[in-house]
Amino acid sequence: MSAPQPATTQSIALAAAHLRAGELVAFPTETVYGLGADATNGLAVAAIFEAKGRPRFNPLIVHVSDLAAADVLIEMSNAARRLARSFWPGPLTIVARRRMPSPIADLVTAGLDSLAVRVPAHPIAQSLLRQTGRPLAAPSANRSGHVSPTTAQHVAQDLGDRIAMILDGGPAPLGLESTVVDVTAQVPVLLRPGAIPREEVEHALGASLAEPVAEDAMRPASPGRLASHYAPHARLRLGATDVYEGEALLALGPQPLAHSGPFVNLSPTGDLREAAARLFAALRELDATGAPTIAVMPIPETGLGEAINDRLRRAAAPR
Ligand code: TXA
Ligand code: MG
């Protein structure tokens, strides 16, 4: 059970060590408490979804210490630069095209070509980022379906038994999540209203923000409505108990189906966290072989299996 620990030089150093070791640490930001993991470590990112009990893989916000660190990860369009100059560090998240190759684990973006980045202003978040020396993926530190936590005690109630450490920095000053703006299209889109009012964002841009196209554009991992959404060209055949000539095979567990063609085992031990961490990269890899169909072995519906199956069903849906 992790009880909140007051943020001190020592506890922040320990938290950074936990994060570098792939463990989860909750930390205060100016908006709400975040559940942080090393964004370059797919297994650590998978552990976020596991701890939150998320029913599906929503793309996560990556936190970095400054604009230079953001510039490494995303393409900074003129609009992005304007927004960054006006609001960073602070409660604005910019969704932009991801630079490739990317050090960020595929699971962070749920397979999207875009990446959400923000530079938090909170001094404890800043100090943690600098000491960890890695970009940190961090959704709000609550169980899925619960409201976002604005104190370390809220985090402890929700996640205390599931994470390595909770840094206590007192109540989050803003108490409302960051404003999320997507700059991947010609006209920037307000994906999530948040701590910075729309008018201020529009003033900084010198232009109006567009509305999201689909009702659930805030959750682009759902039916693939965003143009940038990654869906394999290959058809997916789920729950496969045999593999046909010419198919690629996405396997799981110690007894993969016998197959001589393209093949990835998501986890030879059947570890669902490992499987989640590899999922999106595996789909890309098998898709790149040009196989018309990917046969997918059954994935248990337990733990992270639910989110893995959700994503696979979406990728398999007719287009
Ligand atoms: O204030 C905040 O933003 C907090 C603190 C911890 O920084 N974080 C937060 O994260 O609220 P989360 O995971 O609860 O919300 C992330 C939001 C979701 O609406 C998600 O769909 C959107 O950002 N998002 C993330 N990556 C995206 C992407 N590539 N494209 C579109 N939307 C994205
Ligand atoms: Mg949230």
Side-chain angles (χ1 to χ4, degrees):
M1 184 76 196
S2 306
Q5 295 194 35
T8 60
T9 311
Q10 287 84 0
S11 65
I12 293 173
L14 181 60
H18 279 310
L19 287 165
R20 280 196 302 270
E23 298 193 67
L24 304 183
V25 172
F27 62 96
T29 81
E30 67 276 27
T31 58
V32 299
Y33 274 69
L35 177 58
D38 175 357
T40 67
N41 178 340
L43 276 179
V45 176
I48 289 180
F49 291 101
E50 198 169 51
K52 287 191 62 120
R54 281 207 174 180
R56 62 165 82 156
F57 298 130
N58 290 323
L60 303 176
I61 297 172
V62 169
H63 299 68
V64 293
S65 55
D66 53 28
L67 174 60
D71 212 337
V72 173
L73 302 177
I74 52 176
E75 288 175 18
M76 281 290 197
S77 62
N78 286 337
R81 253 172 232 295
R82 249 181 222 198
L83 293 174
R85 242 185 277 121
S86 305
F87 301 111
W88 282 355
L92 182 88
T93 296
I94 299 177
V95 173
R97 217 160 285 286
R98 177 157 78 129
R99 287 196 203 278
M100 297 300 272
S102 176
I104 301 298
D106 275 334
L107 190 54
V108 170
T109 59
L112 294 168
D113 297 327
S114 58
L115 179 68
V117 178
R118 113 171 165 90
V119 176
H122 198 291
I124 295 170
Q126 273 290 335
S127 142
L128 184 64
L129 281 165
R130 285 176 197 281
Q131 289 219 30
T132 308
R134 312 256 167 93
L136 295 179
S140 50
N142 50 280
R143 301 289 313 268
S144 183
H146 292 192
V147 296
S148 296
T150 55
T151 68
Q153 287 69 34
H154 295 163
V155 180
Q157 284 158 17
D158 256 26
L159 300 169
D161 56 343
R162 304 166 163 240
I163 63 181
M165 203 170 160
I166 301 170
L167 281 178
D168 190 348
L174 298 173
L176 184 64
E177 293 94 339
S178 63
T179 301
V180 181
V181 177
D182 182 340
V183 298
T184 56
Q186 194 71 34
V187 181
V189 177
L190 180 64
L191 286 185
R192 179 176 76 181
I196 298 176
R198 164 199 293 272
E199 294 75 15
E200 287 185 29
V201 177
E202 293 182 334
H203 182 76
L205 284 170
S208 298
L209 287 163
E211 300 311 309
V213 257
E215 64 196 6
D216 61 351
M218 269 168 66
R219 305 200 311 201
S222 56
R225 300 198 195 180
L226 293 194
S228 59
H229 185 259
Y230 175 74
H233 297 289
R235 289 184 37 244
L236 262 59
R237 192 163 65 77
L238 305 184
T241 51
D242 47 18
V243 204
Y244 304 124
E245 191 73 36
E247 286 187 331
L249 173 63
L250 188 61
L252 176 73
Q255 291 166 310
L257 297 168
H259 184 53
S260 56
F263 162 84
V264 173
N265 194 336
L266 288 173
S267 169
T269 61
D271 176 347
L272 291 173
R273 190 189 294 183
E274 184 182 27
R278 287 191 182 164
L279 177 65
F280 292 105
L283 286 174
R284 278 176 200 266
E285 183 181 330
L286 292 178
D287 207 21
T289 68
T293 305
I294 300 171
V296 183
M297 283 178 65
I299 313 280
E301 197 60 38
T302 53
L304 281 181
E306 190 183 344
I308 294 172
N309 281 320
D310 171 82
R311 186 60 185 77
L312 284 170
R313 278 190 290 268
R314 287 169 195 288
R319 289 184 291 279

